[in-house]
Amino acid sequence: MTKHVAPDMTRTAFSSEILAGLTAPRKAVSSKWLYDDVGSHLFEAITRLDAYYPTRTELAILEDNVRKYRHLPGAGGAMVELGSGSSRKTDLLLGAFQDLSVYMPVDISANHLQDAAERVRRAHPSLAVIPVAADFTQPLEKLPLLPELPVLVFFPGSTIGNFERSQAAALLGNIRAAMPEATMIVGVDRPKDEAVLVEAYDDPAGVTAAFNRNLLQRINRELGADFDLASFAHRALWNADDSRIEMHLESLRNQTVTIAGESIAFAEGETIHTENSHKYSEEAFTSIVSKGGWRVLNQDRDKDSLFSIYTLQAI
């Protein structure tokens, strides 16, 4: 059983959001649009870079605590993964949750999602795999869950950090509304030295730069735009006031780009804000959890306190 987002609806949403974002006084695009098929594969490459500590650190925490997590109620019912990301993390939990009945990955990239679902089916033939191609930042009431099963939400990769604080609380509220008795495992990145953070999001090999610029290539391909990729530079900046890394695409000259027939001017030095990655202290994240209608059951960290995995309960 597979649920797809209609391609025309996705293209319409992409077009309207891109045009709205690039005609705003401060140009910005939601980071969810970075993850087309090419972007998803580039991000997987980023997770394997030496400079990118979050994935390997989160995986190590999961490995150290998976025996504890398999006693959570949903580990014997249905696991809903928001953002079908690293197969290494998913495989670790699916291998440990031997009583799991349903695995439901939710991802905006339909092709990437199908590939992930087929891989899980091959590895776990007795598990019911129900992929849902959807934007999980929108209300999730229509997820085809089996109501008699307890639910565990897996939200890894510090994806929660991509949202503004109020948006993160609202997202947690939407998840709670869709799955009111669920427990959740969520990965959260922590504040740390600026140099470590900037290198993680601006790696020497240029993979993250390619990931960021791929957004422009996607706009060219899907919306008939004429971005010159060489005229935009990847920038990763630490915003200490908001405790977040920001990714931008900076225009290297005065230029005009045509998108879906509309001309949009870029001044030299003007940027498109493409992603935030908030880094949360325990106090800051606990506040967001409470506003979203959850409570913290437990927090696990690595030995260097680079990263946290929280276990939450809907209230």
PDB file of all heavy atoms in Angstrom, residues 271-299:
ATOM      1  N   THR A 271      21.476  37.563  -0.776  1.00  0.00           N
ATOM      2  CA  THR A 271      21.449  36.118  -0.572  1.00  0.00           C
ATOM      3  C   THR A 271      20.030  35.563  -0.597  1.00  0.00           C
ATOM      4  O   THR A 271      19.061  36.278  -0.337  1.00  0.00           O
ATOM      5  CB  THR A 271      22.106  35.713   0.760  1.00  0.00           C
ATOM      6  OG1 THR A 271      21.255  36.079   1.864  1.00  0.00           O
ATOM      7  CG2 THR A 271      23.478  36.340   0.922  1.00  0.00           C
ATOM      8  N   ILE A 272      19.979  34.272  -0.903  1.00  0.00           N
ATOM      9  CA  ILE A 272      18.774  33.462  -0.702  1.00  0.00           C
ATOM     10  C   ILE A 272      19.032  32.624   0.540  1.00  0.00           C
ATOM     11  O   ILE A 272      19.977  31.825   0.580  1.00  0.00           O
ATOM     12  CB  ILE A 272      18.499  32.535  -1.898  1.00  0.00           C
ATOM     13  CG1 ILE A 272      18.459  33.312  -3.213  1.00  0.00           C
ATOM     14  CG2 ILE A 272      17.197  31.769  -1.680  1.00  0.00           C
ATOM     15  CD1 ILE A 272      18.450  32.402  -4.443  1.00  0.00           C
ATOM     16  N   HIS A 273      18.225  32.810   1.556  1.00  0.00           N
ATOM     17  CA  HIS A 273      18.369  32.044   2.803  1.00  0.00           C
ATOM     18  C   HIS A 273      17.694  30.680   2.596  1.00  0.00           C
ATOM     19  O   HIS A 273      16.483  30.602   2.434  1.00  0.00           O
ATOM     20  CB  HIS A 273      17.692  32.812   3.930  1.00  0.00           C
ATOM     21  CG  HIS A 273      17.950  32.282   5.295  1.00  0.00           C
ATOM     22  ND1 HIS A 273      17.676  32.999   6.432  1.00  0.00           N
ATOM     23  CD2 HIS A 273      18.463  31.102   5.729  1.00  0.00           C
ATOM     24  CE1 HIS A 273      17.982  32.310   7.496  1.00  0.00           C
ATOM     25  NE2 HIS A 273      18.466  31.143   7.089  1.00  0.00           N
ATOM     26  N   THR A 274      18.495  29.606   2.567  1.00  0.00           N
ATOM     27  CA  THR A 274      17.967  28.296   2.177  1.00  0.00           C
ATOM     28  C   THR A 274      17.760  27.327   3.338  1.00  0.00           C
ATOM     29  O   THR A 274      16.988  26.379   3.202  1.00  0.00           O
ATOM     30  CB  THR A 274      18.891  27.616   1.146  1.00  0.00           C
ATOM     31  OG1 THR A 274      20.209  27.528   1.690  1.00  0.00           O
ATOM     32  CG2 THR A 274      18.927  28.418  -0.149  1.00  0.00           C
ATOM     33  N   GLU A 275      18.461  27.536   4.441  1.00  0.00           N
ATOM     34  CA  GLU A 275      18.289  26.571   5.546  1.00  0.00           C
ATOM     35  C   GLU A 275      18.771  27.166   6.857  1.00  0.00           C
ATOM     36  O   GLU A 275      19.740  27.922   6.900  1.00  0.00           O
ATOM     37  CB  GLU A 275      19.058  25.281   5.270  1.00  0.00           C
ATOM     38  CG  GLU A 275      18.799  24.188   6.305  1.00  0.00           C
ATOM     39  CD  GLU A 275      19.484  22.872   5.947  1.00  0.00           C
ATOM     40  OE1 GLU A 275      20.723  22.809   6.035  1.00  0.00           O
ATOM     41  OE2 GLU A 275      18.775  21.923   5.593  1.00  0.00           O
ATOM     42  N   ASN A 276      18.077  26.796   7.927  1.00  0.00           N
ATOM     43  CA  ASN A 276      18.542  27.019   9.288  1.00  0.00           C
ATOM     44  C   ASN A 276      18.814  25.673   9.937  1.00  0.00           C
ATOM     45  O   ASN A 276      18.156  24.674   9.618  1.00  0.00           O
ATOM     46  CB  ASN A 276      17.477  27.742  10.128  1.00  0.00           C
ATOM     47  CG  ASN A 276      17.265  29.174   9.700  1.00  0.00           C
ATOM     48  OD1 ASN A 276      18.218  29.886   9.412  1.00  0.00           O
ATOM     49  ND2 ASN A 276      16.011  29.609   9.658  1.00  0.00           N
ATOM     50  N   SER A 277      19.756  25.660  10.853  1.00  0.00           N
ATOM     51  CA  SER A 277      19.987  24.466  11.662  1.00  0.00           C
ATOM     52  C   SER A 277      20.242  24.924  13.095  1.00  0.00           C
ATOM     53  O   SER A 277      21.368  25.263  13.473  1.00  0.00           O
ATOM     54  CB  SER A 277      21.177  23.660  11.132  1.00  0.00           C
ATOM     55  OG  SER A 277      21.324  22.457  11.861  1.00  0.00           O
ATOM     56  N   HIS A 278      19.157  24.978  13.868  1.00  0.00           N
ATOM     57  CA  HIS A 278      19.241  25.451  15.242  1.00  0.00           C
ATOM     58  C   HIS A 278      19.948  24.427  16.129  1.00  0.00           C
ATOM     59  O   HIS A 278      19.775  23.215  15.959  1.00  0.00           O
ATOM     60  CB  HIS A 278      17.853  25.721  15.801  1.00  0.00           C
ATOM     61  CG  HIS A 278      17.169  26.903  15.184  1.00  0.00           C
ATOM     62  ND1 HIS A 278      16.483  26.831  13.989  1.00  0.00           N
ATOM     63  CD2 HIS A 278      17.091  28.203  15.585  1.00  0.00           C
ATOM     64  CE1 HIS A 278      15.988  28.026  13.688  1.00  0.00           C
ATOM     65  NE2 HIS A 278      16.342  28.879  14.641  1.00  0.00           N
ATOM     66  N   LYS A 279      20.726  24.935  17.070  1.00  0.00           N
ATOM     67  CA  LYS A 279      21.443  24.111  18.040  1.00  0.00           C
ATOM     68  C   LYS A 279      20.868  24.407  19.420  1.00  0.00           C
ATOM     69  O   LYS A 279      20.900  25.559  19.878  1.00  0.00           O
ATOM     70  CB  LYS A 279      22.950  24.418  17.997  1.00  0.00           C
ATOM     71  CG  LYS A 279      23.532  24.443  16.576  1.00  0.00           C
ATOM     72  CD  LYS A 279      23.300  23.153  15.800  1.00  0.00           C
ATOM     73  CE  LYS A 279      23.781  23.241  14.361  1.00  0.00           C
ATOM     74  NZ  LYS A 279      23.462  22.036  13.576  1.00  0.00           N
ATOM     75  N   TYR A 280      20.332  23.376  20.069  1.00  0.00           N
ATOM     76  CA  TYR A 280      19.528  23.586  21.255  1.00  0.00           C
ATOM     77  C   TYR A 280      20.215  23.109  22.531  1.00  0.00           C
ATOM     78  O   TYR A 280      20.679  21.963  22.611  1.00  0.00           O
ATOM     79  CB  TYR A 280      18.197  22.839  21.134  1.00  0.00           C
ATOM     80  CG  TYR A 280      17.217  23.493  20.202  1.00  0.00           C
ATOM     81  CD1 TYR A 280      16.799  22.860  19.039  1.00  0.00           C
ATOM     82  CD2 TYR A 280      16.703  24.747  20.488  1.00  0.00           C
ATOM     83  CE1 TYR A 280      15.891  23.454  18.188  1.00  0.00           C
ATOM     84  CE2 TYR A 280      15.787  25.357  19.637  1.00  0.00           C
ATOM     85  CZ  TYR A 280      15.380  24.709  18.493  1.00  0.00           C
ATOM     86  OH  TYR A 280      14.481  25.302  17.648  1.00  0.00           O
ATOM     87  N   SER A 281      20.217  23.986  23.530  1.00  0.00           N
ATOM     88  CA  SER A 281      20.546  23.553  24.883  1.00  0.00           C
ATOM     89  C   SER A 281      19.372  22.738  25.423  1.00  0.00           C
ATOM     90  O   SER A 281      18.266  22.767  24.869  1.00  0.00           O
ATOM     91  CB  SER A 281      20.788  24.764  25.780  1.00  0.00           C
ATOM     92  OG  SER A 281      19.574  25.503  25.935  1.00  0.00           O
ATOM     93  N   GLU A 282      19.602  22.031  26.517  1.00  0.00           N
ATOM     94  CA  GLU A 282      18.526  21.232  27.115  1.00  0.00           C
ATOM     95  C   GLU A 282      17.355  22.121  27.509  1.00  0.00           C
ATOM     96  O   GLU A 282      16.182  21.786  27.261  1.00  0.00           O
ATOM     97  CB  GLU A 282      19.052  20.474  28.331  1.00  0.00           C
ATOM     98  CG  GLU A 282      18.018  19.599  29.008  1.00  0.00           C
ATOM     99  CD  GLU A 282      18.590  18.788  30.160  1.00  0.00           C
ATOM    100  OE1 GLU A 282      19.816  18.849  30.375  1.00  0.00           O
ATOM    101  OE2 GLU A 282      17.817  18.102  30.841  1.00  0.00           O
ATOM    102  N   GLU A 283      17.638  23.272  28.110  1.00  0.00           N
ATOM    103  CA  GLU A 283      16.572  24.182  28.542  1.00  0.00           C
ATOM    104  C   GLU A 283      15.759  24.678  27.362  1.00  0.00           C
ATOM    105  O   GLU A 283      14.518  24.706  27.405  1.00  0.00           O
ATOM    106  CB  GLU A 283      17.186  25.359  29.297  1.00  0.00           C
ATOM    107  CG  GLU A 283      16.162  26.369  29.793  1.00  0.00           C
ATOM    108  CD  GLU A 283      16.797  27.548  30.513  1.00  0.00           C
ATOM    109  OE1 GLU A 283      18.048  27.652  30.503  1.00  0.00           O
ATOM    110  OE2 GLU A 283      16.050  28.372  31.076  1.00  0.00           O
ATOM    111  N   ALA A 284      16.433  25.077  26.285  1.00  0.00           N
ATOM    112  CA  ALA A 284      15.730  25.618  25.125  1.00  0.00           C
ATOM    113  C   ALA A 284      14.858  24.563  24.458  1.00  0.00           C
ATOM    114  O   ALA A 284      13.714  24.840  24.068  1.00  0.00           O
ATOM    115  CB  ALA A 284      16.734  26.179  24.123  1.00  0.00           C
ATOM    116  N   PHE A 285      15.389  23.347  24.318  1.00  0.00           N
ATOM    117  CA  PHE A 285      14.600  22.324  23.638  1.00  0.00           C
ATOM    118  C   PHE A 285      13.438  21.859  24.506  1.00  0.00           C
ATOM    119  O   PHE A 285      12.341  21.613  24.001  1.00  0.00           O
ATOM    120  CB  PHE A 285      15.466  21.128  23.243  1.00  0.00           C
ATOM    121  CG  PHE A 285      14.725  20.149  22.377  1.00  0.00           C
ATOM    122  CD1 PHE A 285      14.317  20.503  21.101  1.00  0.00           C
ATOM    123  CD2 PHE A 285      14.400  18.888  22.847  1.00  0.00           C
ATOM    124  CE1 PHE A 285      13.600  19.621  20.302  1.00  0.00           C
ATOM    125  CE2 PHE A 285      13.691  17.994  22.055  1.00  0.00           C
ATOM    126  CZ  PHE A 285      13.289  18.359  20.777  1.00  0.00           C
ATOM    127  N   THR A 286      13.633  21.750  25.810  1.00  0.00           N
ATOM    128  CA  THR A 286      12.551  21.343  26.701  1.00  0.00           C
ATOM    129  C   THR A 286      11.388  22.319  26.629  1.00  0.00           C
ATOM    130  O   THR A 286      10.214  21.928  26.683  1.00  0.00           O
ATOM    131  CB  THR A 286      13.067  21.227  28.145  1.00  0.00           C
ATOM    132  OG1 THR A 286      14.100  20.247  28.197  1.00  0.00           O
ATOM    133  CG2 THR A 286      11.958  20.813  29.094  1.00  0.00           C
ATOM    134  N   SER A 287      11.687  23.615  26.474  1.00  0.00           N
ATOM    135  CA  SER A 287      10.635  24.616  26.347  1.00  0.00           C
ATOM    136  C   SER A 287       9.810  24.388  25.087  1.00  0.00           C
ATOM    137  O   SER A 287       8.568  24.466  25.112  1.00  0.00           O
ATOM    138  CB  SER A 287      11.265  26.010  26.319  1.00  0.00           C
ATOM    139  OG  SER A 287      10.298  27.000  26.052  1.00  0.00           O
ATOM    140  N   ILE A 288      10.470  24.084  23.970  1.00  0.00           N
ATOM    141  CA  ILE A 288       9.767  23.822  22.720  1.00  0.00           C
ATOM    142  C   ILE A 288       8.915  22.560  22.832  1.00  0.00           C
ATOM    143  O   ILE A 288       7.770  22.502  22.365  1.00  0.00           O
ATOM    144  CB  ILE A 288      10.771  23.717  21.565  1.00  0.00           C
ATOM    145  CG1 ILE A 288      11.312  25.106  21.227  1.00  0.00           C
ATOM    146  CG2 ILE A 288      10.146  23.075  20.324  1.00  0.00           C
ATOM    147  CD1 ILE A 288      12.438  25.108  20.244  1.00  0.00           C
ATOM    148  N   VAL A 289       9.469  21.534  23.455  1.00  0.00           N
ATOM    149  CA  VAL A 289       8.738  20.271  23.650  1.00  0.00           C
ATOM    150  C   VAL A 289       7.443  20.518  24.418  1.00  0.00           C
ATOM    151  O   VAL A 289       6.368  20.027  24.050  1.00  0.00           O
ATOM    152  CB  VAL A 289       9.637  19.263  24.395  1.00  0.00           C
ATOM    153  CG1 VAL A 289       8.825  18.082  24.907  1.00  0.00           C
ATOM    154  CG2 VAL A 289      10.747  18.772  23.478  1.00  0.00           C
ATOM    155  N   SER A 290       7.543  21.297  25.484  1.00  0.00           N
ATOM    156  CA  SER A 290       6.365  21.588  26.307  1.00  0.00           C
ATOM    157  C   SER A 290       5.311  22.354  25.521  1.00  0.00           C
ATOM    158  O   SER A 290       4.112  22.041  25.586  1.00  0.00           O
ATOM    159  CB  SER A 290       6.801  22.384  27.544  1.00  0.00           C
ATOM    160  OG  SER A 290       5.681  22.731  28.336  1.00  0.00           O
ATOM    161  N   LYS A 291       5.736  23.340  24.742  1.00  0.00           N
ATOM    162  CA  LYS A 291       4.785  24.115  23.931  1.00  0.00           C
ATOM    163  C   LYS A 291       4.108  23.249  22.877  1.00  0.00           C
ATOM    164  O   LYS A 291       2.973  23.533  22.474  1.00  0.00           O
ATOM    165  CB  LYS A 291       5.512  25.282  23.270  1.00  0.00           C
ATOM    166  CG  LYS A 291       5.971  26.356  24.244  1.00  0.00           C
ATOM    167  CD  LYS A 291       6.773  27.435  23.539  1.00  0.00           C
ATOM    168  CE  LYS A 291       7.278  28.478  24.527  1.00  0.00           C
ATOM    169  NZ  LYS A 291       8.138  29.499  23.884  1.00  0.00           N
ATOM    170  N   GLY A 292       4.779  22.198  22.422  1.00  0.00           N
ATOM    171  CA  GLY A 292       4.212  21.312  21.409  1.00  0.00           C
ATOM    172  C   GLY A 292       3.331  20.217  21.962  1.00  0.00           C
ATOM    173  O   GLY A 292       2.778  19.418  21.195  1.00  0.00           O
ATOM    174  N   GLY A 293       3.189  20.155  23.277  1.00  0.00           N
ATOM    175  CA  GLY A 293       2.299  19.161  23.875  1.00  0.00           C
ATOM    176  C   GLY A 293       2.963  17.827  24.191  1.00  0.00           C
ATOM    177  O   GLY A 293       2.287  16.792  24.223  1.00  0.00           O
ATOM    178  N   TRP A 294       4.254  17.861  24.455  1.00  0.00           N
ATOM    179  CA  TRP A 294       5.004  16.659  24.798  1.00  0.00           C
ATOM    180  C   TRP A 294       5.748  16.879  26.113  1.00  0.00           C
ATOM    181  O   TRP A 294       5.867  17.997  26.592  1.00  0.00           O
ATOM    182  CB  TRP A 294       6.017  16.307  23.707  1.00  0.00           C
ATOM    183  CG  TRP A 294       5.434  16.046  22.365  1.00  0.00           C
ATOM    184  CD1 TRP A 294       4.944  16.964  21.481  1.00  0.00           C
ATOM    185  CD2 TRP A 294       5.267  14.773  21.731  1.00  0.00           C
ATOM    186  NE1 TRP A 294       4.489  16.356  20.336  1.00  0.00           N
ATOM    187  CE2 TRP A 294       4.681  15.001  20.458  1.00  0.00           C
ATOM    188  CE3 TRP A 294       5.580  13.460  22.101  1.00  0.00           C
ATOM    189  CZ2 TRP A 294       4.377  13.984  19.571  1.00  0.00           C
ATOM    190  CZ3 TRP A 294       5.286  12.435  21.218  1.00  0.00           C
ATOM    191  CH2 TRP A 294       4.687  12.691  19.972  1.00  0.00           C
ATOM    192  N   ARG A 295       6.254  15.798  26.671  1.00  0.00           N
ATOM    193  CA  ARG A 295       7.149  15.900  27.828  1.00  0.00           C
ATOM    194  C   ARG A 295       8.361  15.027  27.584  1.00  0.00           C
ATOM    195  O   ARG A 295       8.293  14.022  26.862  1.00  0.00           O
ATOM    196  CB  ARG A 295       6.449  15.496  29.125  1.00  0.00           C
ATOM    197  CG  ARG A 295       6.007  14.048  29.209  1.00  0.00           C
ATOM    198  CD  ARG A 295       5.218  13.808  30.483  1.00  0.00           C
ATOM    199  NE  ARG A 295       4.716  12.431  30.560  1.00  0.00           N
ATOM    200  CZ  ARG A 295       5.365  11.436  31.171  1.00  0.00           C
ATOM    201  NH1 ARG A 295       6.525  11.664  31.764  1.00  0.00           N
ATOM    202  NH2 ARG A 295       4.849  10.219  31.195  1.00  0.00           N
ATOM    203  N   VAL A 296       9.472  15.411  28.163  1.00  0.00           N
ATOM    204  CA  VAL A 296      10.718  14.669  28.000  1.00  0.00           C
ATOM    205  C   VAL A 296      10.743  13.492  28.967  1.00  0.00           C
ATOM    206  O   VAL A 296      10.599  13.669  30.180  1.00  0.00           O
ATOM    207  CB  VAL A 296      11.938  15.581  28.250  1.00  0.00           C
ATOM    208  CG1 VAL A 296      13.228  14.767  28.208  1.00  0.00           C
ATOM    209  CG2 VAL A 296      11.987  16.708  27.224  1.00  0.00           C
ATOM    210  N   LEU A 297      10.912  12.297  28.419  1.00  0.00           N
ATOM    211  CA  LEU A 297      11.094  11.106  29.237  1.00  0.00           C
ATOM    212  C   LEU A 297      12.560  10.869  29.559  1.00  0.00           C
ATOM    213  O   LEU A 297      12.905  10.417  30.644  1.00  0.00           O
ATOM    214  CB  LEU A 297      10.530   9.874  28.513  1.00  0.00           C
ATOM    215  CG  LEU A 297       9.036   9.844  28.214  1.00  0.00           C
ATOM    216  CD1 LEU A 297       8.690   8.571  27.455  1.00  0.00           C
ATOM    217  CD2 LEU A 297       8.223   9.933  29.507  1.00  0.00           C
ATOM    218  N   ASN A 298      13.417  11.175  28.579  1.00  0.00           N
ATOM    219  CA  ASN A 298      14.839  10.855  28.750  1.00  0.00           C
ATOM    220  C   ASN A 298      15.661  11.628  27.727  1.00  0.00           C
ATOM    221  O   ASN A 298      15.162  12.020  26.665  1.00  0.00           O
ATOM    222  CB  ASN A 298      15.062   9.349  28.544  1.00  0.00           C
ATOM    223  CG  ASN A 298      16.457   8.914  28.924  1.00  0.00           C
ATOM    224  OD1 ASN A 298      16.891   9.109  30.054  1.00  0.00           O
ATOM    225  ND2 ASN A 298      17.181   8.355  27.980  1.00  0.00           N
ATOM    226  N   GLN A 299      16.924  11.858  28.053  1.00  0.00           N
ATOM    227  CA  GLN A 299      17.874  12.449  27.122  1.00  0.00           C
ATOM    228  C   GLN A 299      19.160  11.640  27.160  1.00  0.00           C
ATOM    229  O   GLN A 299      19.690  11.358  28.247  1.00  0.00           O
ATOM    230  CB  GLN A 299      18.196  13.905  27.487  1.00  0.00           C
ATOM    231  CG  GLN A 299      19.208  14.544  26.547  1.00  0.00           C
ATOM    232  CD  GLN A 299      19.740  15.892  27.038  1.00  0.00           C
ATOM    233  OE1 GLN A 299      20.571  16.509  26.379  1.00  0.00           O
ATOM    234  NE2 GLN A 299      19.287  16.353  28.194  1.00  0.00           N
TER     235      GLN A 299
END
